[in-house]
Amino acid sequence: MTKKIVVFTGAGVSADSGIPTYRSSDGLWANYKIEDVCTPEALARDRATVINFYNMRRREMAGKLPNAGHKAIAELEQYFDVEVVTQNIDNLHEAAGSTKIIHLHGELTKLREDSGERYITDIGLRDQRLDETAPNGELLRPHIVFFGEAVPMFEHAAMVVNSADILIVVGTSLAVYPAASLVQYVRDSSVPIYIVDPAELNIRSRNPITHIRERAAVGMPQLAEILKRKLGD
Ligand code: NAD
């Protein structure tokens, strides 16, 4: 039977495409306060600043391409049943050709109604106008899970992690909850966990862990080779 690989990614997988991680010294949070741009309270208090922040993120995405890390993940689909669970709001896994992707924290290219998710619209990388509304007249907001908001896709993502024969974790500091707790949902302690991240990570798990301390664009193709070789064993 085809083995199931779940790949859990964070900002680090897109760093090699020129999108800074949030916690790096040139990262976004060095210039912005989370509470000003990435919370429901900020949206209620100063809609223009929040919408503008995400307009800038979309402009920044223009011309950004998937790197060898995204591509190696997509190519694993030739050998394995692969599902990606990403914390990223960019669309670089899609651009690389991955076909099953769960966006835990939403998508930069989409807007939704202020009060829910009945209406979601794709705007690509264009700016959102301040007065844009859904067909029912309600104002639209970025389709992003803000800090302090529930993560609607979490349970589904936990189920997907639970179905993994192999779990790969790429470019996430495992610092943002509840997303970081997803690794605890592996089926049992025999499921191997592979980590690709240049930094030392604090991962609490009884499972066999292999840490490839490389950038995603280097480490992910290496890991893909290791996994393909194991298929032949
Ligand atoms: P993080 O910034 O907390 O951690 C990034 C991790 O990536 C760190 O462990 C770091 O060592 C590692 N890293 C840095 N450069 C790397 C590289 N070249 N290759 C591989 N790994 C590298 O990011 P996070 O854990 O994803 O959590 C922060 C939150 O910020 C998430 O919710 C995410 O949605 C959001 N975010 C998204 C984007 C995006 O959509 N591209 C960018 C920044 C932040």
Side-chain angles (χ1 to χ4, degrees):
M1 222 175 65
T2 313
K3 283 204 170 176
K4 170 89 178 246
I5 297 189
V6 174
V7 190
F8 178 43
T9 68
V13 76
S14 295
D16 287 331
S17 294
I19 304 171
T21 65
Y22 281 0
R23 284 170 187 74
S24 60
S25 54
D26 58 343
L28 281 176
W29 302 133
N31 303 318
Y32 289 92
K33 285 200 210 126
I34 290 178
E35 55 272 27
D36 289 343
V37 289
C38 201
T39 63
E41 293 77 21
L43 187 69
R45 193 176 56 233
D46 186 356
R47 201 177 171 79
T49 298
V50 174
I51 287 176
N52 212 6
F53 175 79
Y54 286 99
N55 283 341
M56 284 190 290
R57 304 284 73 78
R58 266 185 232 99
R59 288 183 199 178
E60 209 172 65
M61 275 302 299
K64 296 289 191 287
L65 296 170
N67 63 60
H70 298 103
K71 288 181 191 161
I73 293 167
E75 282 161 17
L76 281 176
E77 290 192 18
Q78 293 168 27
Y79 308 90
F80 301 93
D81 175 12
V82 182
E83 201 152 357
V84 176
V85 177
T86 186
Q87 297 167 80
N88 295 346
I89 58 175
D90 67 50
N91 58 5
L92 294 178
H93 284 300
E94 284 87 348
S98 285
T99 57
K100 284 193 264 176
I101 306 160
I102 297 169
H103 281 275
L104 271 182
H105 294 156
E107 291 172 76
L108 197 52
T109 50
K110 293 181 179 167
L111 305 179
R112 67 171 165 85
E113 287 169 302
D114 252 356
S115 66
E117 299 198 1
R118 285 159 310 199
Y119 178 81
I120 298 174
T121 184
D122 195 324
I123 63 162
L125 293 179
R126 74 160 169 81
D127 281 3
Q128 173 184 1
R129 294 185 313 276
L130 273 180
D131 59 355
E132 272 188 69
T133 53
N136 68 1
E138 203 179 317
L139 280 172
L140 291 171
R141 60 167 269 183
H143 182 41
I144 303 286
V145 176
F146 291 145
F147 286 91
E149 290 186 319
V151 180
M153 294 304 286
F154 185 82
E155 273 182 31
H156 180 55
M159 248 170 51
V160 168
V161 169
N162 191 257
S163 72
D165 298 311
I166 299 169
L167 179 67
I168 303 177
V169 178
V170 190
T172 174
S173 61
L174 298 175
V176 175
Y177 280 82
S181 64
L182 271 180
V183 290
Q184 317 293 340
Y185 285 82
V186 284
R187 189 171 52 233
D188 58 46
S189 58
S190 72
V191 176
I193 301 179
Y194 292 89
I195 297 173
V196 179
D197 197 300
E200 192 67 61
L201 291 185
N202 217 343
I203 178 168
R204 265 172 285 137
S205 169
R206 287 176 297 132
N207 294 52
I209 292 180
T210 307
H211 188 168
I212 298 177
R213 285 192 67 170
E214 294 279 4
R215 294 159 33 216
V218 174
M220 199 48 235
Q222 284 177 2
L223 176 55
E225 281 310 312
I226 293 170
L227 295 173
K228 278 191 265 175
R229 271 205 305 274
K230 277 186 187 290
L231 265 184
D233 290 350

